[in-house]
PDB file of all heavy atoms in Angstrom:
ATOM      1  N   HIS P1091      90.035 105.488  72.978  1.00 50.00           N
ATOM      2  CA  HIS P1091      89.628 104.097  72.971  1.00 50.00           C
ATOM      3  C   HIS P1091      90.437 103.322  73.998  1.00 50.00           C
ATOM      4  O   HIS P1091      91.593 103.685  74.295  1.00 50.00           O
ATOM      5  CB  HIS P1091      89.846 103.497  71.578  1.00 50.00           C
ATOM      6  CG  HIS P1091      88.927 104.058  70.543  1.00 50.00           C
ATOM      7  ND1 HIS P1091      87.592 103.743  70.480  1.00 50.00           N
ATOM      8  CD2 HIS P1091      89.153 104.963  69.548  1.00 50.00           C
ATOM      9  CE1 HIS P1091      87.031 104.401  69.458  1.00 50.00           C
ATOM     10  NE2 HIS P1091      87.954 105.139  68.902  1.00 50.00           N
ATOM     11  N   PRO P1092      89.898 102.260  74.552  1.00 53.00           N
ATOM     12  CA  PRO P1092      90.646 101.458  75.521  1.00 53.00           C
ATOM     13  C   PRO P1092      91.826 100.780  74.876  1.00 53.00           C
ATOM     14  O   PRO P1092      91.792 100.465  73.686  1.00 53.00           O
ATOM     15  CB  PRO P1092      89.613 100.443  76.018  1.00 53.00           C
ATOM     16  CG  PRO P1092      88.647 100.323  74.888  1.00 53.00           C
ATOM     17  CD  PRO P1092      88.560 101.689  74.270  1.00 53.00           C
ATOM     18  N   GLU P1093      92.865 100.585  75.675  1.00 52.00           N
ATOM     19  CA  GLU P1093      94.022  99.866  75.183  1.00 52.00           C
ATOM     20  C   GLU P1093      93.651  98.404  74.938  1.00 52.00           C
ATOM     21  O   GLU P1093      92.813  97.832  75.639  1.00 52.00           O
ATOM     22  CB  GLU P1093      95.158  99.945  76.202  1.00 52.00           C
ATOM     23  CG  GLU P1093      95.725 101.360  76.396  1.00 52.00           C
ATOM     24  CD  GLU P1093      96.435 101.879  75.172  1.00 52.00           C
ATOM     25  OE1 GLU P1093      97.029 101.057  74.445  1.00 52.00           O
ATOM     26  OE2 GLU P1093      96.385 103.094  74.916  1.00 52.00           O
ATOM     27  N   GLN P1124      95.662  99.923  90.008  1.00 84.00           N
ATOM     28  CA  GLN P1124      95.615 101.046  89.076  1.00 84.00           C
ATOM     29  C   GLN P1124      96.288 100.741  87.733  1.00 84.00           C
ATOM     30  O   GLN P1124      96.740 101.644  87.037  1.00 84.00           O
ATOM     31  CB  GLN P1124      96.179 102.324  89.704  1.00 84.00           C
ATOM     32  CG  GLN P1124      95.328 102.828  90.871  1.00 84.00           C
ATOM     33  CD  GLN P1124      95.607 104.269  91.222  1.00 84.00           C
ATOM     34  OE1 GLN P1124      96.693 104.797  90.961  1.00 84.00           O
ATOM     35  NE2 GLN P1124      94.619 104.917  91.826  1.00 84.00           N
ATOM     36  N   ALA P1125      96.344  99.461  87.382  1.00 91.00           N
ATOM     37  CA  ALA P1125      96.691  99.118  86.009  1.00 91.00           C
ATOM     38  C   ALA P1125      95.570  99.648  85.103  1.00 91.00           C
ATOM     39  O   ALA P1125      95.819 100.043  83.967  1.00 91.00           O
ATOM     40  CB  ALA P1125      96.833  97.608  85.856  1.00 91.00           C
ATOM     41  N   PHE P1126      94.356  99.637  85.630  1.00 92.00           N
ATOM     42  CA  PHE P1126      93.243 100.370  85.043  1.00 92.00           C
ATOM     43  C   PHE P1126      92.950 101.537  85.990  1.00 92.00           C
ATOM     44  O   PHE P1126      92.625 101.343  87.160  1.00 92.00           O
ATOM     45  CB  PHE P1126      91.981  99.488  84.918  1.00 92.00           C
ATOM     46  CG  PHE P1126      92.089  98.400  83.892  1.00 92.00           C
ATOM     47  CD1 PHE P1126      91.624  97.122  84.167  1.00 92.00           C
ATOM     48  CD2 PHE P1126      92.632  98.646  82.646  1.00 92.00           C
ATOM     49  CE1 PHE P1126      91.701  96.112  83.227  1.00 92.00           C
ATOM     50  CE2 PHE P1126      92.714  97.645  81.679  1.00 92.00           C
ATOM     51  CZ  PHE P1126      92.253  96.373  81.976  1.00 92.00           C
ATOM     52  N   GLU P1127      93.063 102.761  85.499  1.00 91.00           N
ATOM     53  CA  GLU P1127      92.936 103.944  86.363  1.00 91.00           C
ATOM     54  C   GLU P1127      91.477 104.410  86.454  1.00 91.00           C
ATOM     55  O   GLU P1127      90.662 104.117  85.574  1.00 91.00           O
ATOM     56  CB  GLU P1127      93.821 105.057  85.810  1.00 91.00           C
ATOM     57  CG  GLU P1127      95.299 104.708  85.793  1.00 91.00           C
ATOM     58  CD  GLU P1127      96.159 105.828  85.227  1.00 91.00           C
ATOM     59  OE1 GLU P1127      95.573 106.804  84.698  1.00 91.00           O
ATOM     60  OE2 GLU P1127      97.384 105.732  85.346  1.00 91.00           O
ATOM     61  N   PRO P1128      91.161 105.154  87.541  1.00 91.00           N
ATOM     62  CA  PRO P1128      89.799 105.692  87.684  1.00 91.00           C
ATOM     63  C   PRO P1128      89.379 106.480  86.447  1.00 91.00           C
ATOM     64  O   PRO P1128      90.143 107.302  85.938  1.00 91.00           O
ATOM     65  CB  PRO P1128      89.919 106.591  88.916  1.00 91.00           C
ATOM     66  CG  PRO P1128      91.030 105.979  89.713  1.00 91.00           C
ATOM     67  CD  PRO P1128      92.016 105.470  88.694  1.00 91.00           C
ATOM     68  N   GLY P1129      88.186 106.200  85.958  1.00 93.00           N
ATOM     69  CA  GLY P1129      87.666 106.895  84.780  1.00 93.00           C
ATOM     70  C   GLY P1129      88.078 106.275  83.479  1.00 93.00           C
ATOM     71  O   GLY P1129      87.563 106.677  82.416  1.00 93.00           O
ATOM     72  N   GLN P1130      89.015 105.332  83.492  1.00 94.00           N
ATOM     73  CA  GLN P1130      89.489 104.741  82.239  1.00 94.00           C
ATOM     74  C   GLN P1130      88.442 103.814  81.636  1.00 94.00           C
ATOM     75  O   GLN P1130      87.778 103.067  82.333  1.00 94.00           O
ATOM     76  CB  GLN P1130      90.785 103.952  82.492  1.00 94.00           C
ATOM     77  CG  GLN P1130      91.351 103.285  81.244  1.00 94.00           C
ATOM     78  CD  GLN P1130      92.662 102.568  81.529  1.00 94.00           C
ATOM     79  OE1 GLN P1130      93.304 102.763  82.563  1.00 94.00           O
ATOM     80  NE2 GLN P1130      93.066 101.705  80.607  1.00 94.00           N
ATOM     81  N   ARG P1131      88.328 103.888  80.322  1.00 95.00           N
ATOM     82  CA  ARG P1131      87.418 102.997  79.630  1.00 95.00           C
ATOM     83  C   ARG P1131      88.050 101.626  79.536  1.00 95.00           C
ATOM     84  O   ARG P1131      89.231 101.475  79.183  1.00 95.00           O
ATOM     85  CB  ARG P1131      87.117 103.508  78.223  1.00 95.00           C
ATOM     86  CG  ARG P1131      86.100 102.669  77.461  1.00 95.00           C
ATOM     87  CD  ARG P1131      85.884 103.249  76.082  1.00 95.00           C
ATOM     88  NE  ARG P1131      84.991 102.401  75.277  1.00 95.00           N
ATOM     89  CZ  ARG P1131      84.717 102.610  73.998  1.00 95.00           C
ATOM     90  NH1 ARG P1131      85.280 103.630  73.375  1.00 95.00           N
ATOM     91  NH2 ARG P1131      83.899 101.815  73.361  1.00 95.00           N
ATOM     92  N   LEU P1132      87.273 100.598  79.862  1.00 95.00           N
ATOM     93  CA  LEU P1132      87.763  99.220  79.861  1.00 95.00           C
ATOM     94  C   LEU P1132      87.626  98.593  78.469  1.00 95.00           C
ATOM     95  O   LEU P1132      86.847  99.073  77.646  1.00 95.00           O
ATOM     96  CB  LEU P1132      86.991  98.388  80.871  1.00 95.00           C
ATOM     97  CG  LEU P1132      87.183  98.755  82.340  1.00 95.00           C
ATOM     98  CD1 LEU P1132      86.205  97.977  83.204  1.00 95.00           C
ATOM     99  CD2 LEU P1132      88.612  98.489  82.777  1.00 95.00           C
ATOM    100  N   PRO P1133      88.389  97.544  78.221  1.00 94.00           N
ATOM    101  CA  PRO P1133      88.194  96.801  76.948  1.00 94.00           C
ATOM    102  C   PRO P1133      86.762  96.318  76.835  1.00 94.00           C
ATOM    103  O   PRO P1133      86.033  96.196  77.819  1.00 94.00           O
ATOM    104  CB  PRO P1133      89.184  95.631  77.096  1.00 94.00           C
ATOM    105  CG  PRO P1133      90.245  96.157  78.022  1.00 94.00           C
ATOM    106  CD  PRO P1133      89.508  97.008  79.012  1.00 94.00           C
ATOM    107  N   GLU P1163      81.542 101.361  86.267  1.00 92.00           N
ATOM    108  CA  GLU P1163      80.319 102.044  85.832  1.00 92.00           C
ATOM    109  C   GLU P1163      80.101 101.725  84.373  1.00 92.00           C
ATOM    110  O   GLU P1163      81.055 101.709  83.579  1.00 92.00           O
ATOM    111  CB  GLU P1163      80.471 103.571  86.012  1.00 92.00           C
ATOM    112  CG  GLU P1163      80.728 104.000  87.450  1.00 92.00           C
ATOM    113  CD  GLU P1163      81.090 105.479  87.540  1.00 92.00           C
ATOM    114  OE1 GLU P1163      81.384 106.081  86.458  1.00 92.00           O
ATOM    115  OE2 GLU P1163      81.112 106.017  88.645  1.00 92.00           O
ATOM    116  N   ARG P1165      78.017 102.645  80.767  1.00 89.00           N
ATOM    117  CA  ARG P1165      77.289 103.706  80.066  1.00 89.00           C
ATOM    118  C   ARG P1165      76.694 103.091  78.799  1.00 89.00           C
ATOM    119  O   ARG P1165      77.447 102.584  77.944  1.00 89.00           O
ATOM    120  CB  ARG P1165      78.216 104.871  79.747  1.00 89.00           C
ATOM    121  CG  ARG P1165      78.904 105.450  80.969  1.00 89.00           C
ATOM    122  CD  ARG P1165      79.946 106.510  80.625  1.00 89.00           C
ATOM    123  NE  ARG P1165      80.782 106.827  81.769  1.00 89.00           N
ATOM    124  CZ  ARG P1165      81.845 107.613  81.707  1.00 89.00           C
ATOM    125  NH1 ARG P1165      82.216 108.147  80.543  1.00 89.00           N
ATOM    126  NH2 ARG P1165      82.565 107.842  82.797  1.00 89.00           N
ATOM    127  N   SER P1170      82.125 100.210  79.395  1.00 94.00           N
ATOM    128  CA  SER P1170      82.359 100.104  80.825  1.00 94.00           C
ATOM    129  C   SER P1170      83.587 100.923  81.206  1.00 94.00           C
ATOM    130  O   SER P1170      84.582 100.921  80.487  1.00 94.00           O
ATOM    131  CB  SER P1170      82.568  98.658  81.241  1.00 94.00           C
ATOM    132  OG  SER P1170      81.415  97.879  80.966  1.00 94.00           O
ATOM    133  N   PHE P1171      83.503 101.592  82.354  1.00 95.00           N
ATOM    134  CA  PHE P1171      84.577 102.453  82.816  1.00 95.00           C
ATOM    135  C   PHE P1171      84.895 102.140  84.278  1.00 95.00           C
ATOM    136  O   PHE P1171      84.014 101.750  85.046  1.00 95.00           O
ATOM    137  CB  PHE P1171      84.174 103.937  82.699  1.00 95.00           C
ATOM    138  CG  PHE P1171      83.933 104.387  81.287  1.00 95.00           C
ATOM    139  CD1 PHE P1171      82.751 104.085  80.636  1.00 95.00           C
ATOM    140  CD2 PHE P1171      84.898 105.117  80.605  1.00 95.00           C
ATOM    141  CE1 PHE P1171      82.523 104.493  79.326  1.00 95.00           C
ATOM    142  CE2 PHE P1171      84.677 105.534  79.291  1.00 95.00           C
ATOM    143  CZ  PHE P1171      83.478 105.219  78.663  1.00 95.00           C
ATOM    144  N   VAL P1172      86.151 102.353  84.649  1.00 94.00           N
ATOM    145  CA  VAL P1172      86.519 102.221  86.046  1.00 94.00           C
ATOM    146  C   VAL P1172      85.868 103.340  86.826  1.00 94.00           C
ATOM    147  O   VAL P1172      85.940 104.530  86.434  1.00 94.00           O
ATOM    148  CB  VAL P1172      88.049 102.305  86.234  1.00 94.00           C
ATOM    149  CG1 VAL P1172      88.421 102.220  87.718  1.00 94.00           C
ATOM    150  CG2 VAL P1172      88.741 101.201  85.444  1.00 94.00           C
ATOM    151  N   ALA P1173      85.180 103.026  87.913  1.00 92.00           N
ATOM    152  CA  ALA P1173      84.505 104.041  88.715  1.00 92.00           C
ATOM    153  C   ALA P1173      85.524 104.995  89.325  1.00 92.00           C
ATOM    154  O   ALA P1173      86.652 104.598  89.664  1.00 92.00           O
ATOM    155  CB  ALA P1173      83.697 103.369  89.834  1.00 92.00           C
TER     156      ALA P1173
END
Side-chain angles (χ1 to χ4, degrees):
H1091 292 286
E1093 294 293 328
Q1124 295 198 335
F1126 291 137
E1127 298 180 351
Q1130 180 178 345
R1131 183 181 176 186
L1132 294 172
E1163 300 171 347
R1165 303 174 192 172
S1170 298
F1171 296 79
V1172 178

